[in-house]
Amino acid sequence: MYYFKKNKDVIEKYSVDYDLEKLQTLKLEIINKCSRVENFEYDDIRNPKDWDNFLKIRNYSKTKIKNKEELFHYKFTRYEFPYLVKLIDELIYGNALAIDEIIKPNMQKEALPFNLLIQNKIDEINIISDDDKDRKLLQYKKLLKLIELAKLNKNQKPIKGYYKKVKDIINLDKVDELDINLLNDVSNFFDNTYDIYNF
């Protein structure tokens, strides 16, 4: 796999190498330590395991409800993976473009910390008129839910530091470079019809 990076007036070409076992081990650590955790409990005919990744569903239990055909009581903890897990998967599947976001993380794609979510909700409540009691009550309930989730996730770790850990596993070896003007000339020669990286 190759990774291409623009550096001033040239396009640099790098070969990409990484220890797959280390990367997969780190991915599992990120899932366990940095995921957003939430408890669920409800009755339904649909099994959450039918559509969710098995690593996302933990502490799972399923109980048949008496006299209710095909209706079950489900109770489980769901792990919502950080965006970094998606980037790791893309890298493993051969998408070198994921390296851009691993090297220069866009933290806006990660979940906001609970302290910010809670403060944002408080600010939202404060601007609601006292006359609008129903709306205010609804937002108070959402605030209590956020506080509850914050307590549940108090032992989860921030994701930011793990970007560097993933980056440290990836080895980029520069193998070539090409003047960007020459690259543009070649692209124009083919009327931008062909992907020149395939040549």
Side-chain angles (χ1 to χ4, degrees):
M1 177 167 53
Y2 292 104
Y3 169 65
F4 296 90
K5 183 179 76 170
K6 182 180 178 182
N7 185 6
K8 296 180 180 179
D9 295 328
V10 299
I11 296 292
E12 298 174 335
K13 179 181 179 181
Y14 294 84
S15 65
V16 181
D17 188 33
Y18 53 85
D19 187 315
L20 179 59
E21 185 176 351
K22 284 184 179 179
L23 191 59
Q24 289 177 327
T25 299
L26 184 58
K27 172 188 167 183
L28 189 58
E29 180 181 336
I30 292 169
I31 287 173
N32 289 330
K33 293 185 176 182
C34 303
S35 291
R36 186 63 54 89
V37 180
E38 185 172 359
N39 291 325
F40 290 90
E41 186 171 1
Y42 57 82
D43 299 336
D44 205 334
I45 61 172
R46 298 171 300 169
N47 190 331
K49 284 190 170 184
D50 290 342
W51 67 81
D52 236 340
N53 184 306
F54 76 97
L55 286 173
K56 289 186 176 183
I57 303 293
R58 314 282 180 95
N59 307 319
Y60 171 85
S61 69
K62 171 184 174 183
T63 307
K64 182 76 174 68
I65 297 177
K66 292 181 179 180
N67 303 319
K68 297 287 185 180
E69 187 177 354
E70 298 184 356
L71 187 64
F72 291 86
H73 182 76
Y74 295 101
K75 187 176 181 180
F76 59 92
T77 302
R78 189 177 190 276
Y79 281 57
E80 185 62 37
F81 298 166
Y83 181 68
L84 180 55
V85 171
K86 179 177 182 289
L87 294 177
I88 293 172
D89 285 339
E90 288 185 1
L91 179 62
I92 292 173
Y93 295 149
N95 181 8
L97 293 176
I99 295 172
D100 285 331
E101 290 190 88
I102 292 171
I103 294 174
K104 296 180 179 180
N106 181 357
M107 297 309 296
Q108 291 183 343
K109 293 187 177 181
E110 295 289 359
L112 283 175
F114 277 106
N115 62 326
L116 288 179
L117 290 172
I118 290 171
Q119 186 58 55
N120 289 344
K121 184 58 65 178
I122 291 172
D123 293 341
E124 184 180 346
I125 291 171
N126 286 337
I127 63 174
I128 299 174
S129 169
D130 289 337
D131 295 332
D132 195 349
K133 294 180 180 180
D134 290 341
R135 185 180 170 204
K136 205 152 195 169
L137 179 60
L138 176 62
Q139 297 308 317
Y140 268 122
K141 288 180 179 179
K142 290 182 178 180
L143 175 61
L144 291 175
K145 178 66 174 178
L146 284 173
I147 294 172
E148 178 186 323
L149 285 173
K151 290 179 180 178
L152 182 62
N153 285 269
K154 65 181 180 180
N155 293 323
Q156 295 301 95
K157 306 298 182 185
I159 189 62
K160 189 173 182 179
Y162 279 92
Y163 275 86
K164 184 180 185 306
K165 291 184 179 183
V166 174
K167 179 183 173 183
D168 289 344
I169 292 176
I170 303 169
N171 297 313
L172 299 176
D173 292 321
K174 185 177 175 181
V175 295
D176 207 348
E177 67 177 41
L178 187 64
D179 184 276
I180 198 166
N181 292 320
L182 177 59
L183 189 68
N184 289 332
D185 288 343
V186 173
S187 180
N188 290 333
F189 177 79
F190 287 107
D191 294 327
N192 298 305
T193 302
Y194 300 96
D195 181 356
I196 57 175
Y197 293 124
N198 287 331
F199 284 77

